[in-house]
Amino acid sequence: MKLIKCYINNFGKLNNFSYEFNKELNVINQHNGFGKSTLCGFIKAMFYGFNSTKTKNLNDNERLRFLPWQGGVFGGFLDFETGENKYRIERTFGDKPSLDKFSLINLKTGKESFDYSERIGEELFGIDLKGFERCTFFSNNSLNLKLPLSISSKLSSLIDNTDDFSDYDSALNLLLKKSRQYKTVGGKGIIFDTESKLSKLQNKLFEVENAEKELNLKQEELESLKKKKGYNDKDIENIQLTISENAEISVMKQKIKHYNSLVSETKKAKETKEFIEKKYNSNIPDSVKVAELSDECGKLKNLKENTKFGLADKIFLFFSLLVFIFGFSCFAVCLVLNKSFIINLLISLLGAVFTLLFSAVFLSRRKKYKKLLLQVEQDFSFLGIKTDDYCLKLDEIRKDIFEYKLVSKNFEEYFNEAKNYYNSENLKSFKENIRSKTFEELKEREKELINISFNLSSEIIEVSSKVNQLHETADCKIDVLNQVERLNTELLEYKENYNVIIAAAEFLKQAKENFAVKYKEKIEESFKKNLNSLIGSSDEIGINSDFDVFVINNGTIKNIDSLSSGTKSAVEIAMRFSLIDTLFETEKPFIIFDDTFLHLDDNAFKNIAEKIKIISKDTQILYFTCSKSRTF
Amino acid sequence: MKIIHCADLHLDSSLRSCYSSEKAALRRNEILKTFLNTVDFAIKSQARVVIIAGDFFDRNKVTKKTEEFVFNKISSAKNIDFLYLKGNHDDNIRFNSPIPGNLKILSDGQSYFYDNVEIRGIYSYDDVKSFDKENYNIAVAHAEIAGVNNEYQLNLKSLQNKNIDCLCLGHIHKRTSGKLDDRGVYYYSGNIDGRGFDECGEKGILMLDTNQRTVEFISMSSRLVIEMKVDITGVKSNNELIEIIDKNISEIDKKSILRIVLIGKYSEDLVKDLYFIKNYFSERFFVFELKDKSELLIDYESLKYDISLKGEFIRVVKNSNLSNELCDKVIRAGLMALNNEEPIL
């Protein structure tokens, strides 16, 4: 494309300024302060507008920098041709981008054209403002012959708003350096440190988890021991109970024996009592009755004695009879003899009386005896006794009564004693079927169990202590887990950051590779063509695969420094132009030289000047200089 | 009758990585204290029952200290029964000492009756026996509501038309409620105190009144967990970033556990020093976390014409299969390096 004409209403210090461009070389030789930079800025602004920025720094804020000093309409127009079309860009600018205006006029038709938008620069050249600035503007230090002429670096630095050739390299170094903070080949860095901490914590966690498992086991063991001890203690209790029961059994047995003896005595007493009761038809005579009977028996005995016809009785009766007989005999004799018989009669009467008296007494005695005997018989019969010898029986009765009283008393006593004894000693609960071991066996077993209990207690104390220890360790688990989680999160973050850095480095390399791949062939071809046009055919100068420019001198590869300054400049220009050829695929822009060759000597400049003229056949050049010696 | 419903206390939790060891220990104690305060509240309000619908503890193993505090406190509330349904975290809970008499661990289908109120624990949700329709019936479960019945997943249909008045649920830490059927309602009480940023907002317990048939939320949080998004679109410097964050958090209580999430789009001019910003605010709150979810603003239209290495680099990254978030980070790192600055991540 070619610039045709420009008109500036107001732009920086320029106002009401117009310029018509030559299609090839435009040399603008003006003093410093003329506005060369302003004109360059205007051309740029027509194609690209102003960058949106809020900074007040004039170097970075061109809107502020080029604000018209005198006020008025801030803008102008620029005519250009591209292909077969001619256009006019009209732009005015406000304080902010929203106040900017843009229009494109097709100069052939005079009508507004929509072939390009307000991003016309990018659309036309296929490059953004920075790239455009870097490529099309040759400032007075853009040709730096001191630094290595690597085209890749040049390419980057040219396009990346810097003259630092090592941008890519330094960027890559920064990334790699940053990555080494996270991880190095030698096993250092935050990631390794964190992994190491994590590993230690994992070990600790493993220990803690083991402690937890062991704690569970120990707690089970403790429970089991306590249970065992419980059973054991119960066994001890039981055995002690058995021992005491055994002692009790003996005592109880004694008691039972005693009780049984009481019962037996009671039974005996009862039997005796019953026997006596039966004997007396349950009419056991009391003492009064016995006294009566005794009296009766006494009387009976006496009476019986009295009823006995004893010698005395016999003698009395004999004599009574004798008397009677004598008396009677005498009576009779007397009677016969008619003698006084009264005495004899009296004697016989006496005798008779005595005999009768005796008989009467004897009979009376006998009757009395019989009556009494009957009575006694009845009495005894009432008592159920039949006997011949009542007096003897009475003794027996007395004996029986005495015994009866005794056994009754005994019975009652034994009965009550047995009953009370039974109740007080709680003999009802006595289980006779308790198996009792011998006392020694039981004591032996008790000792055994107490030993076991003692051992269990010791074990329990030991295990409890272990459980407490394990608790202390296991309860740390929460803290350890928290630390592990935190470190894991940090590690994840570090690894992600590391991956980001590595990815950035890889993608940067990739971008550079793409760059190289994209531009290598074109650059090589264009460089050779441009160099050829500048200095003629030169097989001495070449580009290697890394885009490094080299010189072949007598068959050896030499550094570019071995070239003359003029040739070096030519190489530099050829390189820049090859970049321009490569980068501006769609439409090649004009090139602006702004006092670029001030540093060259006259011969070198002359050389370059010739080259510039040649180049201007293909590329429109705007050459600004403030020095007459540097004009064409 | 008043009944308290709480769940998911997760006592003895190791807590999230946003806490340092010391803060984690402190926070655990605070959560334990919140439970103790809950018991005090239950005593003060004369509640008859406290229902713990699962995950009382974070693990099956309880530390001695926690167990001692919990058991002593429960024992002191002699007139209150604590009905404890086990959850997925404490399904095989093992205690170091005998449990208090008024702490009852519910088994499946086991009920406790208080006048005309029946409270039943449910672990398996198929073939649940109906409640007596004359009573006020409370079912307790630890599950998320789902379309099927599985372990810790509950299909509500299984519990419909069983005369349930109130289904007290645990497992989901956010407080919610909904209709069970024509008669009953289900409630998730949520947990009693937030632990991490997945448990934001007010936390506490629910108080049921079986006479009034009301349910009231009682806040018990000792600290609020807050996650706040701050849009940094248009921010051009770290100073502005600090200012905008400051403006957004000026009203937040200093006791809070706070996470700020940066969102929006930022230009490549902004080199965020997140480490510095985090440290700037960290002293102000109990816990302060900063997450960056903002996106690098890339003018793709301009990028088309950017033939520089930078442009190529951005294109290469964007055309890769990295996620958007990762792309932004990689681009940011690369651009900082190309600007000769040490990349800050």
Side-chain angles (χ1 to χ4, degrees):
Chain A
M1 62 84 64
K2 307 266 186 203
L3 298 172
I4 303 171
K5 182 168 90 172
C6 74
Y7 174 76
I8 299 173
N9 284 98
N10 294 286
F11 197 88
K13 68 196 303 182
L14 297 173
N15 76 302
N16 208 21
F17 174 89
S18 61
Y19 189 87
E20 286 202 29
F21 298 95
N22 289 325
K23 282 188 181 181
E24 293 175 0
L25 183 60
N26 297 268
V27 178
I28 301 146
N29 178 215
Q30 292 289 346
H31 57 88
N32 281 335
F34 160 76
K36 299 189 294 295
S37 299
T38 306
L39 179 58
C40 294
F42 174 81
I43 295 169
K44 232 180 15 175
M46 284 294 112
F47 284 109
Y48 286 96
F50 286 128
N51 263 346
S52 176
T53 178
K54 287 184 182 170
T55 181
K56 302 280 188 251
N57 186 334
L58 293 181
N59 286 329
D60 296 325
N61 191 339
E62 289 189 334
R63 186 185 294 273
L64 273 180
R65 177 147 50 105
F66 292 123
L67 207 59
W69 293 9
Q70 58 286 345
V73 173
F74 181 11
F77 68 79
L78 177 68
D79 294 348
F80 69 96
E81 62 180 356
T82 175
E84 293 187 5
N85 295 318
K86 291 183 184 177
Y87 298 97
R88 172 171 288 178
I89 301 171
E90 287 179 354
R91 280 198 201 252
T92 56
F93 304 101
D95 295 333
K96 47 193 177 185
S98 57
L99 297 176
D100 295 351
K101 288 195 175 78
F102 167 86
S103 64
L104 184 70
I105 313 291
N106 186 319
L107 288 173
K108 276 190 182 166
T109 63
K111 289 181 183 169
E112 193 169 4
S113 168
F114 299 100
D115 292 349
Y116 300 99
S117 71
E118 60 187 358
R119 298 176 82 125
I120 185 170
E122 284 156 343
E123 289 160 12
L124 195 55
F125 304 120
I127 195 169
D128 66 1
L129 176 60
K130 278 187 185 160
F132 176 82
E133 281 175 332
R134 291 297 102 207
C135 291
T136 59
F137 282 77
F138 283 68
S139 64
N140 56 8
N141 62 350
S142 61
L143 293 183
N144 190 333
L145 303 172
K146 289 180 188 170
L147 297 173
L149 300 174
S150 155
I151 291 187
S152 58
S153 302
K154 191 79 173 174
L155 187 64
S156 320
S157 64
L158 228 119
I159 292 165
D160 285 334
N161 197 23
T162 173
D163 291 324
D164 183 355
F165 291 167
S166 61
D167 247 8
Y168 163 77
D169 294 324
S170 71
L172 196 62
N173 281 338
L174 272 172
L175 289 170
L176 294 176
K177 186 180 166 193
K178 185 74 183 176
S179 77
R180 283 191 289 273
Q181 283 180 13
Y182 288 100
K183 204 200 286 196
T184 68
V185 169
K188 288 185 182 172
I190 308 171
I191 288 176
F192 282 113
D193 288 344
T194 309
E195 278 174 344
S196 168
K197 280 185 202 165
L198 202 52
S199 173
K200 284 180 187 154
L201 268 180
Q202 296 286 14
N203 286 342
K204 172 110 193 194
L205 188 63
F206 183 70
E207 263 175 46
V208 164
E209 281 173 344
N210 279 346
E212 211 175 51
K213 283 183 194 153
E214 203 186 332
L215 176 63
N216 284 341
L217 292 171
K218 284 292 171 193
Q219 278 177 327
E220 277 172 17
E221 191 184 328
L222 187 64
E223 266 173 46
S224 165
L225 281 171
K226 283 182 177 172
K227 224 182 203 173
K228 238 188 206 172
K229 184 164 185 301
Y231 290 143
N232 196 66
D233 288 346
K234 191 83 188 147
D235 284 346
I236 291 174
E237 220 177 278
N238 286 341
I239 208 132
Q240 283 174 343
L241 193 67
T242 306
I243 288 170
S244 73
E245 271 178 0
N246 260 9
E248 250 184 51
I249 286 173
S250 314
V251 167
M252 283 305 268
K253 278 189 173 169
Q254 292 300 320
K255 287 182 181 173
I256 291 289
K257 194 175 170 185
H258 177 65
Y259 171 74
N260 284 343
S261 75
L262 285 176
V263 166
S264 169
E265 289 299 321
T266 307
K267 197 173 166 186
K268 231 197 294 188
K270 188 179 173 189
E271 279 171 359
T272 307
K273 187 171 165 235
E274 279 172 356
F275 175 74
I276 294 174
E277 278 172 358
K278 189 177 176 184
K279 189 174 170 183
Y280 294 96
N281 274 349
S282 305
N283 297 316
I284 311 292
D286 55 17
S287 55
V288 171
K289 189 75 183 176
V290 166
E292 269 181 31
L293 285 175
S294 174
D295 191 45
E296 280 176 8
C297 281
K299 283 180 184 171
L300 194 71
K301 190 176 179 181
N302 290 341
L303 285 174
K304 190 177 180 183
E305 287 298 318
N306 292 344
T307 59
K308 271 188 189 166
F309 199 66
L311 183 66
D313 290 321
K314 283 178 188 165
I315 293 171
F316 182 78
L317 187 65
F318 177 72
F319 280 106
S320 292
L321 280 175
L322 192 66
V323 168
F324 174 67
I325 291 169
F326 179 72
F328 194 70
S329 299
C330 287
F331 172 68
V333 170
C334 290
L335 200 45
V336 163
L337 299 169
N338 264 345
K339 297 202 174 167
S340 183
F341 63 80
I342 296 190
I343 295 174
N344 293 329
L345 184 70
L346 280 171
I347 293 170
S348 73
L349 275 174
L350 188 69
V353 165
F354 281 152
T355 303
L356 282 173
L357 200 66
F358 175 81
S359 297
V361 165
F362 190 78
L363 283 172
S364 160
R365 241 192 259 159
R366 273 201 88 93
K367 193 179 171 184
K368 254 190 184 173
Y369 170 78
K370 275 198 175 150
K371 189 180 172 186
L372 190 61
L373 183 66
L374 192 66
Q375 178 67 42
V376 167
E377 263 179 20
Q378 277 179 353
D379 284 342
F380 273 79
S381 175
F382 180 71
L383 296 178
I385 298 171
K386 274 192 169 75
T387 182
D388 295 328
D389 188 345
Y390 291 103
C391 293
L392 198 64
K393 212 61 177 174
L394 193 60
D395 282 339
E396 196 182 299
I397 289 171
R398 274 200 204 92
K399 233 164 78 180
D400 283 347
I401 286 167
F402 178 75
E403 198 175 342
Y404 182 79
K405 275 186 183 163
L406 191 63
V407 297
S408 291
K409 185 179 168 201
N410 283 348
F411 169 76
E412 205 173 307
E413 275 177 9
Y414 283 132
F415 180 78
N416 285 336
E417 193 179 335
K419 184 176 159 190
N420 289 340
Y421 193 72
Y422 187 84
N423 288 338
S424 68
E425 299 300 329
N426 200 19
L427 298 181
K428 192 176 177 182
S429 62
F430 178 66
K431 290 184 176 90
E432 297 228 25
N433 60 349
I434 289 175
R435 182 175 158 270
S436 59
K437 297 182 183 175
T438 65
F439 183 75
E440 288 73 27
E441 274 176 13
L442 290 171
K443 283 308 261 185
E444 193 57 41
R445 180 72 185 137
E446 184 194 17
K447 194 172 163 189
E448 221 175 87
L449 288 172
I450 287 172
N451 257 350
I452 292 172
S453 183
F454 178 77
N455 290 338
L456 284 172
S457 293
S458 304
E459 252 186 274
I460 285 169
I461 290 170
E462 200 182 307
V463 173
S464 292
S465 167
K466 186 74 182 162
V467 160
N468 286 338
Q469 266 177 34
L470 288 169
H471 253 302
E472 269 184 41
T473 309
D475 286 355
C476 290
K477 188 173 179 182
I478 309 168
D479 287 328
V480 174
L481 280 174
N482 170 260
Q483 286 175 57
V484 164
E485 199 174 320
R486 234 191 24 262
L487 277 179
N488 270 329
T489 306
E490 280 175 19
L491 185 64
L492 210 63
E493 200 182 309
Y494 295 148
K495 281 184 174 173
E496 197 182 271
N497 290 348
Y498 174 76
N499 290 338
V500 163
I501 299 291
I502 294 297
E506 289 303 318
F507 284 123
L508 198 59
K509 284 182 199 168
Q510 182 68 46
K512 184 205 162 191
E513 291 288 326
N514 290 355
F515 237 48
V517 163
K518 194 170 165 184
Y519 299 120
K520 184 180 183 301
E521 230 177 88
K522 285 183 187 170
I523 286 172
E524 210 170 2
E525 195 185 309
S526 174
F527 174 72
K528 285 202 162 129
K529 188 190 103 189
N530 286 328
L531 194 64
N532 191 40
S533 70
L534 283 171
I535 60 171
S537 173
S538 173
D539 292 331
E540 291 171 346
I541 299 170
I543 309 176
N544 65 13
S545 57
D546 288 333
F547 295 135
D548 292 325
V549 178
F550 61 88
V551 175
I552 300 172
N553 192 338
N554 294 329
T556 48
I557 294 173
K558 291 216 185 275
N559 195 283
I560 199 78
D561 287 333
S562 58
L563 294 173
S564 67
S565 58
T567 310
K568 271 196 252 184
S569 297
V571 166
E572 182 72 22
I573 292 170
M575 197 188 306
R576 289 289 290 271
F577 275 100
S578 68
L579 293 177
I580 291 166
D581 286 341
T582 308
L583 294 172
F584 290 92
E585 289 179 346
T586 50
E587 192 64 60
K588 281 202 192 32
F590 44 88
I591 305 292
I592 298 175
F593 289 94
D594 183 5
D595 269 329
T596 312
F597 307 112
L598 287 175
H599 63 284
L600 294 178
D601 60 39
D602 291 345
N603 274 342
F605 173 70
K606 197 176 165 189
N607 221 2
I608 287 294
E610 290 303 316
K611 308 302 184 276
I612 297 292
K613 282 178 191 171
I614 295 166
I615 289 169
S616 69
K617 303 290 179 207
D618 288 323
T619 306
Q620 187 179 33
I621 290 177
L622 276 62
Y623 181 81
F624 293 94
T625 184
C626 57
S627 167
K628 276 191 164 51
S629 67
R630 289 292 178 267
T631 57
F632 286 81
Chain B
M1 182 166 83
K2 288 181 182 165
I3 294 170
I4 284 173
H5 166 210
C6 63
D8 298 292
L9 285 73
H10 287 278
L11 299 181
D12 275 352
S13 172
S14 62
L15 294 181
R16 304 294 188 268
S17 59
C18 60
Y19 298 95
S20 63
S21 289
E22 295 77 23
K23 293 259 168 90
L26 193 59
R27 188 70 191 129
R28 271 197 290 281
N29 286 343
E30 286 173 354
I31 294 171
L32 174 59
K33 189 159 184 301
T34 303
F35 170 70
L36 304 181
N37 291 344
T38 302
V39 177
D40 286 337
F41 176 80
I43 294 169
K44 198 172 158 191
S45 54
Q46 297 179 316
R48 181 66 188 88
V49 179
V50 172
I51 294 170
I52 303 161
D55 288 351
F56 192 177
F57 301 95
D58 194 55
R59 302 181 301 134
N60 283 321
K61 197 86 194 69
V62 187
T63 60
K64 266 180 89 170
K65 178 205 92 177
T66 298
E67 184 179 292
E68 201 180 298
F69 271 111
V70 167
F71 282 5
N72 284 345
K73 196 67 183 175
I74 288 175
S75 297
S76 74
K78 290 179 177 42
N79 296 328
I80 302 176
D81 275 359
F82 290 77
L83 304 187
Y84 165 27
L85 185 96
K86 293 191 270 190
N88 53 309
H89 278 253
D90 51 5
D91 56 339
N92 276 321
I93 190 83
R94 187 200 178 100
F95 294 113
N96 305 303
S97 48
I99 65 172
N102 58 336
L103 173 61
K104 327 253 184 217
I105 301 179
L106 291 168
S107 53
D108 190 25
Q110 185 183 14
S111 289
Y112 285 87
F113 291 86
Y114 304 90
D115 298 331
N116 69 328
V117 175
E118 180 184 348
I119 304 174
R120 189 194 298 174
I122 298 175
Y123 288 91
S124 67
Y125 316 119
D126 296 315
D127 302 321
V128 171
K129 209 177 91 173
S130 286
F131 288 73
D132 182 347
K133 65 178 180 194
E134 301 304 320
N135 286 345
Y136 185 92
N137 299 311
I138 299 173
V140 185
H142 187 84
E144 70 168 308
I145 293 170
V148 289
N149 283 335
N150 267 328
E151 200 179 23
Y152 308 118
Q153 281 187 318
L154 160 66
N155 184 346
L156 277 182
K157 285 184 182 157
S158 312
L159 295 183
Q160 286 171 346
N161 305 316
K162 303 281 183 184
N163 300 318
I164 295 172
D165 295 283
C166 184
L167 174 58
C168 292
L169 294 170
H171 196 47
I172 301 298
H173 296 185
K174 192 175 151 67
R175 189 173 65 255
T176 51
S177 61
K179 191 174 167 181
L180 173 61
D181 52 25
D182 288 337
R183 176 170 172 152
V185 186
Y186 70 82
Y187 293 95
Y188 282 101
S189 63
N191 49 347
I192 62 169
D193 213 345
R195 295 176 298 156
F197 294 107
D198 53 346
E199 297 174 358
C200 293
E202 284 259 32
K203 297 290 180 183
I205 57 175
L206 296 179
M207 170 82 96
L208 280 63
D209 189 323
T210 60
N211 297 335
Q212 307 292 329
R213 291 183 173 256
T214 55
V215 176
E216 186 192 346
F217 167 69
I218 313 289
S219 173
M220 302 298 298
S221 311
S222 54
R223 290 183 198 277
L224 278 184
V225 180
I226 300 171
E227 185 177 89
M228 177 185 279
K229 293 189 166 94
V230 174
D231 193 336
I232 63 165
T233 304
V235 167
K236 293 264 192 300
S237 67
N238 281 302
N239 279 345
E240 280 182 41
L241 198 47
I242 287 172
E243 267 174 39
I244 197 172
I245 293 172
D246 206 352
K247 194 173 149 194
N248 275 276
I249 64 175
S250 57
E251 304 285 314
I252 293 176
D253 189 337
K254 298 189 182 356
K255 281 169 50 178
S256 300
I257 297 162
L258 176 62
R259 173 193 272 173
I260 294 294
V261 180
L262 303 179
I263 58 168
K265 291 191 187 294
Y266 65 96
S267 70
E268 61 177 89
D269 297 333
L270 174 62
V271 177
K272 288 176 269 166
D273 192 342
L274 298 177
Y275 182 75
F276 175 82
I277 293 170
K278 189 180 167 188
N279 283 340
Y280 184 90
F281 289 106
S282 63
E283 294 299 312
R284 211 191 278 190
F285 298 95
F286 181 70
V287 167
F288 180 84
E289 200 177 82
L290 189 60
K291 282 255 184 255
D292 185 12
K293 299 274 183 200
S294 59
E295 292 173 20
L296 187 60
L297 183 64
I298 293 175
D299 184 351
Y300 288 100
E301 202 49 41
S302 296
L303 188 64
K304 216 163 47 173
Y305 302 109
D306 188 342
I307 54 155
S308 67
L309 182 63
K310 184 189 91 180
E312 184 62 26
F313 168 71
I314 294 174
R315 276 190 293 274
V316 161
V317 175
K318 276 294 179 185
N319 288 336
S320 70
N321 55 4
L322 294 179
S323 67
N324 282 344
E325 196 181 327
L326 219 45
C327 275
D328 277 2
K329 286 183 179 174
V330 170
I331 289 170
R332 209 165 54 216
L335 292 183
M336 287 182 75
L338 285 169
N339 278 341
N340 205 28
E341 291 164 9
E342 185 183 319
I344 296 174
L345 296 163

